Amino acid sequence: MGEVSVVENKKVILKNYVDGIPTETDMEVKLGETIELKAPKGSSCFLVKNLYLSCDPYMRGRMRDFHGSYLPPFVPGQRIEGFGLARVIDSDDTNYKPGDIVSGIIGWEEYSLLRSSDNLQLRNIQLDDDIPLSYHLGLLGMAGFTAYAGFNEICCPKKGDSVFVSAACGAVGQLVGQLAKLHGCYVVGSAGSKQKVEILKNELGYDEAFNYKEEADLDTALKRYFPEGIDIYFDNVGGSMLDAALLNMKVRGRIALCGMVSLQSLSTSSQGIKNLYSAIYKRLRLEGFLQSDYLHIFPQFLENVKRYYKEGKIVYIEDISEGLDLAPAALVGLFSGKNIGKQVVRVAKE
C-alpha cells in the first residue's frame, strides 16, 4: 500500500451567530487544517473533493442562535455547509465509488468526509453532455425543485391564471415564471434592477416585469399589471410586497410562501403584515412549504425539467464566483440582490 496523502483543507467558518443580514466579516476563510485523502475503514463514510457550492438564502437562518427550525444552526468556529456538488475520492460506503459525482449537503471546504446516514439529501448525478454540471445545484437541484414543487403542488396552476413572482430573476423565481408560461398563464415578475427586468422580459419569457425599487407604491404597481387581480402569487420576499399582493389577489387566490429575503431580521422583525384581513373575504390560501416535503416527486421533476431544457422550452441563468475565498461575498450578495440568477461558487475545476 502507498502512503496516504495528507493535504491542506481550506474552509469557510462562521465566526459568531448573526441576527440581521450576514456580512462577509461574519465568516472567515481558514487555512492550516489538514485532511487525509482516505475514508477510514469501517466508518461507512466517503471522502469527496468539493467542486461547486450553492449559495441559498435559507442558509442565513442557520447563522442565528435559534434551535427551533427544521435545520440546526451552524456552530460558531466551525465550517458551514450547504448544497453542493463533489467528486468521490475514496469510499467505505458501497453506494459511492471513487469517480462518482454526488450532490447533497457538503462542507464549505475543499474536501469533506460524508456519511449517507446523516440525512444530507445525497444523490449520485448522472452526467449529461447537454447539461452543465453546475445546473445540478440550480435548475436540476434544490432551487429548481423548490420552484417545481411549490408551483405545481401549492399553487395548483390552471391555464389562463394570472401569476405574480417576486425575486423573479433569482434561482427559484426564474424557473417559476417559465413553468407558469408552459402552463399557459399570464406572468409578471418583480426584480431589483433595470438589467434584471430586461432579462425577465427578453430571456425568461415573462409577459411583464418591473423594478420594485422604482415604484412609489407597490399596490398601484400591481394594479397596473393585474387590473383583474392575481390568481397565484409565488412569494420569495415577504414584507411590503406580500402586503401589496394580499390587496390584489382574486377570490380563492393561492399564495406560495417560499422565502422572506426582504426581512432585515428573522427573529425581531418590526414590520408586520397589515393586509392579512383580505385573506378572509377573498378566501385565500397562503401556504409555506419546504422542497424536502416533496422528495417523492423528485424523479418526475428531473425527467420533466431536463426534457424542457433539452427541447429549448426553458433557459437557466447562473452567476458563478471562482474560488472558495469568494464564497462569503457570494453568499452575502444574495441579500442585496448582487447576483443575477442562481449564485454558485466553483471550488475546483471538474
Side-chain angles (χ1 to χ4, degrees):
M1 287 291 286
E3 295 270 303
V4 173
S5 64
V6 173
V7 295
E8 184 170 69
N9 192 20
K10 188 193 287 188
K11 48 188 68 184
V12 176
I13 64 165
L14 179 69
K15 289 205 286 207
N16 30 50
Y17 287 125
V18 181
D19 179 50
I21 290 173
T23 63
E24 284 180 61
T25 52
D26 292 318
M27 291 167 274
E28 180 185 354
V29 178
K30 194 173 175 199
L31 300 167
E33 290 192 25
T34 57
I35 189 167
E36 269 193 21
L37 295 185
K38 187 145 187 62
K41 280 275 163 281
S43 67
S44 299
C45 290
F46 58 101
L47 183 88
V48 296
K49 179 180 172 74
N50 295 329
L51 303 175
Y52 289 96
L53 302 174
S54 175
C55 296
D56 298 295
Y58 82 87
M59 295 172 69
R60 166 190 174 186
R62 297 192 68 184
M63 292 182 163
R64 59 193 183 127
D65 190 7
F66 177 69
H67 296 259
S69 186
Y70 64 102
L71 287 170
F74 297 136
V75 179
Q78 292 188 18
R79 63 112 171 99
I80 65 174
E81 63 182 17
F83 284 94
L85 293 165
R87 188 172 67 244
V88 179
I89 289 180
D90 190 51
S91 179
D92 190 54
D93 179 334
T94 50
N95 296 309
Y96 300 96
K97 55 187 192 301
D100 285 355
I101 302 284
V102 296
S103 76
I105 296 174
I106 62 176
W108 276 39
E109 56 196 348
E110 292 174 296
Y111 298 90
S112 292
L113 194 60
L114 304 176
R115 185 183 283 113
S116 54
S117 60
D118 286 348
N119 196 23
L120 303 175
Q121 282 196 43
L122 293 163
R123 60 175 69 88
N124 273 308
I125 296 295
Q126 305 305 314
L127 295 179
D128 187 319
D129 291 340
D130 299 325
I131 296 174
L133 179 58
S134 54
Y135 276 24
H136 288 277
L137 286 184
L139 180 65
L140 301 174
M142 191 268 288
F145 187 51
T146 300
Y148 185 90
F151 188 64
N152 289 316
E153 304 294 314
I154 307 280
C155 299
C156 309
K158 299 185 300 297
K159 188 177 178 178
D161 277 350
S162 293
V163 177
F164 175 49
V165 185
S166 52
C169 210
V172 175
Q174 57 173 307
L175 185 58
V176 173
Q178 294 180 89
L179 291 172
K181 288 308 296 175
L182 289 172
H183 268 88
C185 300
Y186 165 74
V187 191
V188 178
S190 64
S193 75
K194 188 172 185 290
Q195 183 188 9
K196 290 179 182 179
V197 168
E198 293 303 312
I199 288 171
L200 289 171
K201 293 200 288 198
N202 301 332
E203 294 178 46
L204 297 173
Y206 275 71
D207 293 296
E208 290 289 350
F210 65 92
N211 179 354
Y212 68 88
K213 293 175 183 169
E214 291 179 351
E215 299 294 339
D217 182 71
L218 295 173
D219 176 33
T220 306
L222 291 178
K223 285 187 167 48
R224 187 165 73 236
Y225 294 107
F226 298 99
E228 308 284 307
I230 301 168
D231 293 294
I232 292 170
Y233 172 37
F234 197 102
D235 182 26
N236 291 307
V237 301
S240 54
M241 191 66 87
L242 173 57
D243 239 354
L246 282 164
L247 293 177
N248 287 279
M249 299 300 292
K250 289 186 190 174
V251 169
R252 305 210 187 280
R254 287 85 72 202
I255 299 178
L257 300 171
C258 179
M260 299 260 161
V261 79
S262 76
L263 300 187
Q264 295 298 306
S265 162
L266 297 178
S267 53
T268 57
S269 180
S270 56
Q271 183 191 27
I273 295 297
K274 302 185 203 63
N275 299 324
L276 202 52
Y277 67 89
S278 64
I280 301 170
Y281 70 85
K282 291 182 178 182
R283 288 83 95 196
L284 303 179
R285 202 177 88 230
L286 290 80
E287 188 172 347
F289 73 100
L290 299 176
Q291 53 85 27
S292 50
D293 297 337
Y294 295 95
L295 291 174
H296 57 282
I297 64 168
F298 194 87
Q300 169 206 322
F301 150 75
L302 218 47
E303 186 186 330
N304 288 337
V305 175
K306 266 187 181 171
R307 189 179 75 249
Y308 294 148
Y309 178 74
K310 288 184 176 180
E311 289 172 358
K313 289 181 177 165
I314 53 176
V315 297
Y316 200 69
I317 297 167
E318 288 182 310
D319 199 325
I320 297 186
S321 294
E322 293 288 346
L324 199 56
D325 292 337
L326 293 181
L331 179 58
V332 168
L334 295 175
F335 301 101
S336 60
K338 278 203 174 75
N339 56 305
I340 294 193
K342 168 71 195 163
Q343 183 66 63
V344 175
V345 176
R346 195 194 325 253
V347 181
K349 296 273 193 279
E350 294 129 64

